[in-house]
Amino acid sequence: MSKDTVLTAIRRGLRRGPLGEDQVAGLRARLAAHPRHLIPRRSRVPHTEQVALFVANVEREFGTVARVPGLDAVPEALAFYLAEQNLPTELVMAPHPELRAIPWATRPLLRIREGRAEPSDTVSLQHAFAGIAETGTLMLPSSPERPTTLNLLADTAVVLLRASRLVGAYEEAWDLLRDEIGAMPRNVMLVTGPSRSADIEQSLELGAHGPRRLHVLLVEDGATRSG
Amino acid sequence: MVTATSPAFKQNARRAIGDASLQKALANSRPQFMARRARAVAALPEFEQLREIARDIKDHTLAHLDFYLEEWESKVLASGGNVHWCHDADEARAAVLAICRAANARTVTKGKSMVSEELGINEHLEQHGIQPIETDLGEYIIQLRHEPPSHIIAPAFHLNRDDWEREFRKAHTDLPADRVFAERRDILTEARAKLRQRFIAADVGITGANFLVAETGSSVIVTNEGNGDLTQTLPRVHIVVATIEKIVPTIEDALSLLRVLARSATGQEFSVYTTFSTGPRRAADLDGPADYHVVVVDNGRSAMLGSEFQPMLRCIRCAACMNHCPVYGAIGGHAYGWVYPGPMGAVLTPSLIGVDKAGNLPNASTFCGKCESVCPVKIPLPALMRHWREREFERHLEPAATRRGLALWGWFARRPALYRLVTRAGAAVLGRLGGKRGRLRRLPFAGGWTVGRDLPAPEGDTFFARYDRIGRARSGRPDDGEGAANRGRAQ
């Protein structure tokens, strides 16, 4: 059995047999507690400043952010962005209840298909589980309501993030995930800006294999998070 | 396993120094890497503390590696995935091939994986009629050129823009021959379109892993292009190939390591896509692979545990050491002759393919210490290279001339009066030869050393002579060491 071969070789290197019960209990306790390490000070600021930090970081990473006053204003904000970028008004949208509840009928020109993305899609609308101010990062855990292909296949990825879902550090987003989703989703993507490559002469070019544009609709939703 | 040309390191290095195209690429790319890392580090005041945390997480994990691997395996199985334990490269290649065959795979897309290079996965699949397609832009072009990567995070580090254009015209013959690549973006756009078709058609996707998380049974990949995510999302089967030391205990541990990884590697605060994958597609999911396999490989790592080389297993493959290494900067990655170049390669390669084949690598160092000073997990790379030099000496592996030279030096060193006489004469002669420049362009009997660089000449004085003077001056005024040293120099 290769498993035994590998584990035996590891223990031989470490000059010991299998760990004793006490040690195993200690290590299991560490796994269960999953203690945090140092969290950089930059995100230890009030929520309004976290929002500003998030926006600045997304923009530094070549993404764009539109502040939207409420969910009702999303259709207009999206239509405005697509027109401004000279993009088609056809898009694929995550079948997430929050997105479905948006009054899309106010903008009948937006043609919306719900589901996973296909290679022919040019614009996608995804739902962010959380935003992380520390580096301007979106947390996108997969689920039937949040297909992974929406993060990857379209040329233009639009992501809706409610301001109350914006936290300071990665660890805080994971705590939300553990609290609200519980079991680990199949896929959790942390996305920071649009796709890029520097493989040609170390010169940065946007739009490698994933989206060329990343646009965040940051929706004010009244509720604010502390810290 | 990939054939190593490490035994021919000296010839490789000589060729690299004379390669104008390579020298152009190195001169262009290295300063950019160094400047970007410096900026990212300056923007995070806690960076030094985070390096210590990163080192401690890795040390803790390595000390309990068996426990964390078994925990991780149980979580992978619980999430519906499969784990294939492999002792060596042969077993790993066989495991990957068996999974591909079971999936009736014809084409396989691949995310960039150094372990896959180490194991020779591509060659093995090709030999058995399965076509591997590298999808990282840098890996894609070097696959077209049938050459190995020259850098662990920027595989096409050695190429210039005209190399890309030439290669694309040769490979993409279905496109108009007179098309114009006005900008680098046009090269990227062509690769994107070509590879998009491949992503969609592939039956299996193979990625490496930056981390395996014991707490959740997840594999983590970090990319900027999104190719790794398309590779692990679109095909029916996802295979992760990873070595045993990629394990970390918890998500929090992974996050702390991620805080130093991108900053050390590309100088980004965070890579564009950091993705945690856990098992296959869930019941109601609309996308994702139906099967999830992890091929977890030892291939020489366990033999490093408990040895002086154990700290090398902390490596998170950021490439900061090679980006800052004057030797890598002079010769590039291919000269090192195997998968891992630069200082980390100089330590790892002898462990994995033998010091008899790779003994030249730990000798190719000025011991300037820059690599250790930028390593995000604080691996004492120069000290580890020194250990290899000692082992090489113990096993009588260096050239006879080196041993004769050391024996000669040892003979003099055991006769202090004679030693001082000879070194004083030597320093005086070389000091005079160095002239005002203080450098020697040529040395008799050491032409090999001076062919690619100048020798800084001694100042005409020996260490002993200077030490004596300072000692005398100090005994006159015992409290004033600094002043005495200055006086000593002025005499």
Side-chain angles (χ1 to χ4, degrees):
Chain A
M1 261 295 278
S2 288
K3 177 179 174 182
D4 292 339
T5 311
V6 171
L7 292 176
T8 305
I10 289 170
R11 288 172 189 141
R12 195 185 312 126
L14 295 172
R15 297 191 182 85
R16 60 163 174 75
L19 291 169
E21 268 176 44
D22 285 1
Q23 280 171 297
V24 167
L27 295 174
R28 279 197 210 289
R30 187 185 186 279
L31 283 175
H34 51 81
R36 287 182 183 180
H37 303 285
L38 181 148
I39 293 183
R41 281 190 299 278
R42 63 161 69 159
S43 70
R44 311 294 81 202
V45 292
H47 191 257
T48 48
E49 288 174 45
Q50 289 178 338
V51 172
L53 179 62
F54 174 83
V55 172
N57 279 331
V58 171
E59 289 173 350
R60 197 199 50 218
E61 295 300 337
F62 309 98
T64 50
V65 181
R67 307 288 293 267
V68 184
L71 284 168
D72 289 354
V74 167
E76 189 188 339
L78 181 57
F80 177 80
Y81 172 74
L82 296 177
E84 187 191 52
Q85 298 293 320
N86 213 10
L87 291 167
T89 53
E90 198 176 331
L91 61 124
V92 55
M93 181 178 89
H96 191 279
E98 272 179 23
L99 299 184
R100 301 175 85 174
I102 290 170
W104 294 109
T106 57
R107 284 280 166 171
L109 285 181
L110 290 174
R111 281 171 296 152
I112 299 175
R113 190 187 91 243
E114 289 182 9
R116 57 161 283 171
E118 300 298 337
S120 53
D121 287 311
T122 54
V123 181
S124 60
L125 176 61
Q126 177 64 292
H127 177 267
F129 176 79
I132 299 156
E134 182 174 351
T135 46
T137 300
L138 296 160
M139 182 185 244
L140 308 171
S142 71
S143 70
E145 295 80 33
R146 200 183 284 111
T148 305
T149 39
L150 290 173
N151 311 335
L152 296 166
L153 281 173
D155 254 20
T156 302
V158 183
V159 182
L160 183 143
L161 171 68
R162 288 196 289 126
S164 66
R165 304 292 298 178
L166 210 150
V167 298
Y170 311 120
E171 285 82 348
E172 291 163 319
W174 282 97
D175 280 354
L176 285 180
L177 192 140
R178 286 185 175 115
D179 286 350
E180 297 173 15
I181 301 180
M184 189 74 175
R186 183 194 71 75
N187 171 293
V188 180
M189 284 185 76
L190 302 178
V191 176
T192 312
S195 155
R196 69 199 62 180
S197 175
D199 272 342
I200 308 170
E201 296 185 330
Q202 305 313 308
S203 154
L204 187 70
E205 299 290 340
L206 296 182
H209 296 295
R212 292 170 214 258
R213 297 183 199 83
L214 177 75
H215 185 60
V216 180
L217 299 173
L218 183 57
V219 181
E220 301 300 334
D221 56 355
T224 53
R225 302 194 62 82
S226 55
Chain B
M1 224 184 276
V2 187
T3 324
T5 68
S6 306
F9 175 77
K10 287 183 183 172
Q11 293 92 301
N12 292 350
R14 196 170 304 131
R15 200 177 319 122
I17 286 170
D19 182 339
S21 173
L22 171 67
Q23 293 300 324
K24 181 181 161 198
L26 289 169
N28 167 50
S29 298
R30 285 188 72 247
Q32 300 193 56
F33 264 114
M34 289 192 279
R36 283 177 193 154
R37 177 192 174 275
R39 269 201 303 274
V41 168
L44 189 67
E46 296 92 342
F47 190 79
E48 280 308 307
Q49 279 168 277
L50 287 166
R51 283 176 73 204
E52 283 171 15
I53 290 167
R55 175 199 59 201
D56 294 348
I57 291 170
K58 278 290 191 175
D59 281 346
H60 167 84
T61 313
L62 291 170
H64 308 102
L65 191 57
D66 49 342
F67 169 81
Y68 284 121
L69 279 165
E70 288 199 275
E71 281 297 302
W72 162 81
E73 182 196 33
S74 71
K75 297 290 179 176
V76 177
L77 298 178
S79 68
N82 304 284
V83 176
H84 309 259
W85 296 80
C86 299
H87 168 65
D88 60 13
D90 283 340
E91 287 186 10
R93 283 192 295 258
V96 171
L97 180 64
I99 301 165
C100 292
R101 280 186 166 158
N104 291 318
R106 280 173 306 156
T107 64
V108 172
T109 44
K110 293 189 68 218
K112 193 179 83 58
S113 156
M114 294 312 294
V115 176
S116 163
E117 300 282 343
E118 174 187 329
L119 301 173
I121 299 285
N122 286 6
E123 296 76 3
H124 194 66
L125 291 177
E126 279 167 1
Q127 282 161 17
H128 293 86
I130 297 168
Q131 190 190 1
I133 298 144
E134 294 290 348
T135 63
D136 171 88
L137 194 59
E139 286 279 343
Y140 177 67
I141 190 168
I142 64 165
Q143 190 183 28
L144 292 179
R145 290 167 60 92
H146 306 288
E147 60 183 0
S150 65
H151 188 280
I152 61 170
I153 67 162
F157 201 84
H158 57 294
L159 298 180
N160 295 298
R161 188 174 149 180
D162 45 338
D163 299 314
W164 286 84
E165 294 188 13
R166 194 169 48 246
E167 216 56 53
F168 274 29
R169 284 189 202 285
K170 208 161 82 190
H172 305 155
T173 46
D174 54 325
L175 297 172
D178 59 349
R179 66 192 184 284
V180 177
F181 294 102
E183 297 172 53
R184 293 191 189 88
R185 173 182 304 271
D186 300 330
I187 301 171
L188 182 69
T189 305
E190 183 166 312
R192 178 186 168 107
K194 280 282 163 201
L195 283 165
R196 199 41 93 89
Q197 302 159 15
R198 301 297 206 166
F199 283 123
I200 296 160
D203 307 293
V204 174
I206 300 179
T207 67
N210 292 85
F211 306 103
L212 302 171
V213 185
E215 178 195 354
T216 56
S218 310
S219 55
V220 183
I221 62 165
V222 172
T223 77
N224 281 320
E225 298 182 7
N227 66 306
D229 285 286
L230 288 167
T231 298
Q232 65 184 10
T233 302
L234 297 184
R236 278 177 291 120
V237 179
H238 175 202
I239 306 175
V240 181
V241 182
T243 44
I244 52 175
E245 83 282 13
K246 295 287 175 182
I247 285 271
V248 295
T250 65
I251 295 283
E252 277 75 2
D253 294 322
L255 294 173
S256 288
L257 289 162
L258 286 164
R259 281 197 177 96
V260 293
L261 175 58
R263 290 180 170 94
S264 302
T266 53
Q268 288 167 283
E269 297 225 309
F270 216 51
S271 300
V272 177
Y273 302 109
T274 300
T275 305
F276 296 68
S277 295
T278 313
R281 171 197 290 230
R282 307 286 160 82
D285 277 353
L286 303 179
D287 50 23
D291 293 312
Y292 174 84
H293 297 267
V294 188
V295 175
V296 63
V297 195
D298 181 340
N299 207 33
R301 272 67 176 180
S302 60
M304 295 166 70
L305 285 170
S307 79
E308 57 267 64
F309 301 107
Q310 179 169 327
M312 190 60 221
L313 296 174
R314 296 203 293 254
C315 179
I316 56 173
R317 304 289 190 268
C318 71
C321 61
M322 61 195 75
N323 290 339
H324 291 77
C325 175
V327 177
Y328 182 97
I331 62 175
H334 284 158
Y336 290 81
W338 201 56
V339 178
Y340 303 102
M344 58 80 67
V347 175
L348 192 58
T349 308
S351 299
L352 300 183
I353 70 171
V355 70
D356 51 327
K357 292 201 189 72
N360 277 321
L361 306 189
N363 283 298
S365 167
T366 62
F367 281 176
C368 71
K370 192 70 189 168
C371 49
E372 181 175 358
S373 76
V374 296
C375 176
V377 285
K378 303 196 122 180
I379 300 170
L381 290 157
L384 300 186
M385 283 186 243
R386 207 172 293 122
H387 284 313
W388 277 126
R389 293 187 186 185
E390 283 162 13
R391 286 210 186 175
E392 196 190 15
F393 188 79
E394 284 160 11
R395 292 182 52 189
H396 296 263
L397 290 170
E398 326 86 326
T402 309
R403 294 193 79 84
R404 273 202 300 276
L406 281 168
L408 188 67
W409 179 84
W411 191 84
F412 278 104
R414 284 193 298 271
R415 290 160 182 82
L418 185 61
Y419 185 91
R420 291 183 196 195
L421 186 72
V422 171
T423 49
R424 194 162 39 200
V429 170
L430 289 174
R432 210 160 301 141
L433 288 177
K436 276 191 192 140
R437 278 180 74 240
R439 306 184 79 78
L440 297 165
R441 282 178 184 282
R442 267 188 302 276
L443 266 186
F445 312 115
W449 205 94
T450 48
V451 72
R453 64 199 146 174
D454 292 348
L455 178 77
E459 290 169 20
D461 211 352
T462 66
F463 170 77
F464 278 120
R466 184 168 296 181
Y467 188 79
D468 275 351
R469 275 199 306 275
I470 293 171
R472 264 201 304 277
R474 238 182 230 166
S475 59
R477 294 182 59 186
D479 298 335
D480 189 5
E482 185 69 29
N486 288 336
R487 272 195 304 283
R489 209 165 295 147
Q491 279 171 5

